[in-house]
Amino acid sequence: MSKQKMLQFVSVAKEMPEKREAEARAHDFNEIYAEYADTKAAEQAARCSQCGVPYCQAHCPLHNNIPDWLRLTAEGRLQEAYEMSQYTNTFPEICGRICPQDRLCEGNCVIEQSGHGTVTIGSVEKYITDTAWDEGWVQPIKPAEERPESVGIIGAGPGGLAAADRLRRAGIQVTVYDRHDRAGGLLTYGIPGFKLEKDVVMRRVAQLEEGGVEFVLNCNVGSDISFDAIRGKHDAVLIATGVYKARDLTGPGAGAAGIVAALDYLTASNRVSFGDDVPEYDSGELNANGKRVVVIGGGDTAMDCVRTAIRQGAESVKLLYRRDRANMPGSQREVQNAEEEGVEFVWLSAPQGFAGDPVEAVMVQKMRLGPPDATGRQTPEVIEGADYAEPADLVIKALGFEPEDLPTLWGEEALEVTRWGTIKAEFGTHATALPGVYAVGDIVRGASLVVWAIRDGREAADSILTYLAQPASVAAE
Ligand SMILES: Cc1cc2nc3c(=O)[nH]c(=O)nc-3n(C[C@H](O)[C@H](O)[C@H](O)COP(=O)(O)OP(=O)(O)OC[C@H]3O[C@@H](n4cnc5c(N)ncnc54)[C@H](O)[C@@H]3O)c2cc1C
Ligand code: SF4
């Protein structure tokens, strides 16, 4: 491949990888963006202005060496680009697909700020590591030496897996426990295939298994095995259990049949994609086919639900959100994708109650944005007399998640939590109040992002290595 000069942003326009037509992609769960052709990846990487102070890197939670791997890609030195990329990121091809780049690296790209359109950092990151997989450069972990110490990790989501990878590379014996039958956490059962195809996650799990990480699946810590027993089996423990207590709806009729929780709905759909038997899908309970679907919420989960419903063949799909488009937490790029696929966004609207059992309609209150509150965010206010009934056969609640009460569930009152119920862990080391116990990801941050869970997992692994290297008397303090 020819060597590309950098700083091409003045003459080369920003170009994302080809996006499949909305009509075609609305019928399957495959990803919507194609891979860059080699020449296109090099051309787009060459748009980077190689800033002295790269804001993209500063705003990437992993501080990826973005300008350097862009330059290596532009020069066709892909194996070196891959090595540099995976040095700071355990799962670059996953982040390249699902990070909200507009809020992180790409949103802070200097050429974006100067009006030329950002370098397509996420798509190049994905391209580099997908190429590495195709070329056989991604290999199972082979530690230089085996060490006797063992670490138990509770939760096989991105936080737990990133820590498992790093600890195993250091030769530690790693066991990952998860209550699901497959590893991956929300990468496997939350995020739909049209954002992240499942084989991309499963090949990482297989790589870890081949590298000696032991997975104990279908194992709910707190019922199948006690937290205490896990502490007794291992020299250190990492809690990476995520947040799963769904916020609920109140109001008349909220308990009617046909009103379902977002994660139940998405998990069923993801299981169908794996080819599993899913009775709740076959019975229609968690299947939008032929239905008028209303999704309530404004975050990533709500966006994933509406786009899943379209693919299941819903008659109509509407998303109710109590604020407006500008104040929605979900990614604007995803809003655009959803609109292209036929989702209708009903802004400034909130459910007041539900009619029928099974549900027949959502009673909708219209809202306006009032004056800003103490945080500066405008508060939604009800517009009196503007209520109406929105017909619905399936209502999906996507109002966010809170942590489960782990100290009670696990009978470990000394495990300190914050007033929000998240586990208290020291900034940087991720150490909890219990000696030798660390915590990372959503269970510490509250519902967050994959890239932050990966960062936490990597940092906690380093702290655990330091802890294990201490004399036993110091470690027990
Ligand atoms: C629908 C949806 C879409 C999202 N989309 C995006 C996106 O596009 N981009 C992005 O960056 N982030 C997204 N997120 C957020 C992201 O998925 C999370 O921030 C991330 O997965 C958190 O990682 P984690 O390792 O902390 O926990 P999780 O991924 O939640 O993994 C925790 C694991 O712990 C297991 N577990 C829990 N309790 C126990 C127990 N007692 N015993 C055994 N195992 C247990 C669970 O089964 C699970 O496998 C999305 C979230 C949702 C719900
Ligand atoms: S990990 Fe996420 S934020 Fe960092 S460079 Fe990749 S896509 Fe951007």
Side-chain angles (χ1 to χ4, degrees), residues 25-312:
R25 65 187 200 240
H27 298 291
D28 64 45
F29 284 84
N30 300 333
E31 286 175 12
I32 70 169
Y33 293 102
E35 195 77 87
Y36 275 137
D38 297 348
T39 44
K40 188 56 78 183
E43 179 189 279
Q44 288 294 308
R47 295 181 67 246
C48 172
S49 72
Q50 300 284 285
C51 319
V53 180
Y55 291 104
C56 56
Q57 181 170 9
H59 287 269
C60 164
L62 293 162
H63 301 312
N64 280 342
N65 234 321
I66 301 165
D68 285 358
W69 46 250
L70 286 173
R71 184 174 50 77
L72 291 167
T73 306
E75 292 175 359
R77 295 159 63 187
L78 278 183
Q79 190 159 1
E80 289 164 85
Y82 157 67
E83 271 154 22
M84 180 163 287
S85 164
Q86 63 93 55
Y87 186 72
T88 52
N89 189 352
T90 318
F91 309 124
E93 75 284 21
I94 294 179
C95 293
R97 284 170 163 86
I98 59 166
C99 269
Q101 286 101 7
D102 48 352
R103 283 189 266 145
L104 300 171
C105 52
E106 295 181 9
N108 291 281
C109 170
V110 163
I111 65 172
E112 166 82 0
Q113 308 292 333
S114 67
H116 286 92
T118 175
V119 178
T120 51
I121 298 168
S123 304
V124 176
E125 188 179 28
K126 161 181 180 282
Y127 162 81
I128 293 169
T129 302
D130 282 348
T131 306
W133 277 99
D134 291 347
E135 295 290 332
W137 302 332
V138 186
Q139 289 292 316
I141 299 162
K142 286 199 195 87
E145 57 165 356
E146 291 292 345
R147 288 174 53 171
E149 301 98 326
S150 86
V151 174
I153 298 179
I154 309 172
L161 295 185
D165 178 279
R166 207 154 168 89
L167 289 165
R168 192 62 204 122
R169 282 179 199 279
I172 302 291
Q173 310 309 311
V174 179
T175 307
V176 182
Y177 302 84
D178 201 290
R179 60 186 172 197
H180 277 310
D181 56 347
R182 290 186 179 91
L186 291 172
L187 302 176
T188 297
Y189 284 132
I191 300 172
F194 51 82
K195 277 166 57 181
L196 176 64
E197 283 174 10
K198 298 301 144 185
D199 56 356
V200 174
V201 183
M202 289 303 125
R203 69 185 176 188
R204 279 294 180 186
V205 174
Q207 182 209 13
L208 289 168
E209 265 177 326
E210 282 166 36
V213 173
E214 189 193 346
F215 285 91
V216 180
L217 300 175
N218 296 308
C219 177
N220 193 348
V221 175
S223 55
D224 296 318
I225 181 170
S226 71
F227 177 62
D228 216 34
I230 294 215
R231 285 190 80 193
K233 270 163 137 344
H234 300 283
D235 299 299
V237 172
L238 178 69
I239 303 171
T241 49
V243 287
Y244 285 90
K245 198 167 85 187
R247 291 198 192 108
D248 216 346
L249 281 172
T250 49
I259 303 178
V260 303
L263 206 53
D264 293 346
Y265 173 71
L266 291 174
T267 304
S269 175
N270 278 314
R271 284 193 177 283
V272 171
S273 297
F274 274 111
D276 293 354
D277 227 4
V278 186
E280 303 83 2
Y281 178 84
D282 296 338
S283 71
E285 190 187 328
L286 296 176
N287 183 350
N289 188 260
K291 294 183 180 165
R292 294 164 301 176
V293 178
V294 173
V295 176
I296 298 167
D300 283 333
T301 306
M303 302 294 294
D304 288 350
C305 289
V306 285
R307 297 179 66 200
T308 297
I310 290 278
R311 283 159 175 79
Q312 290 179 344

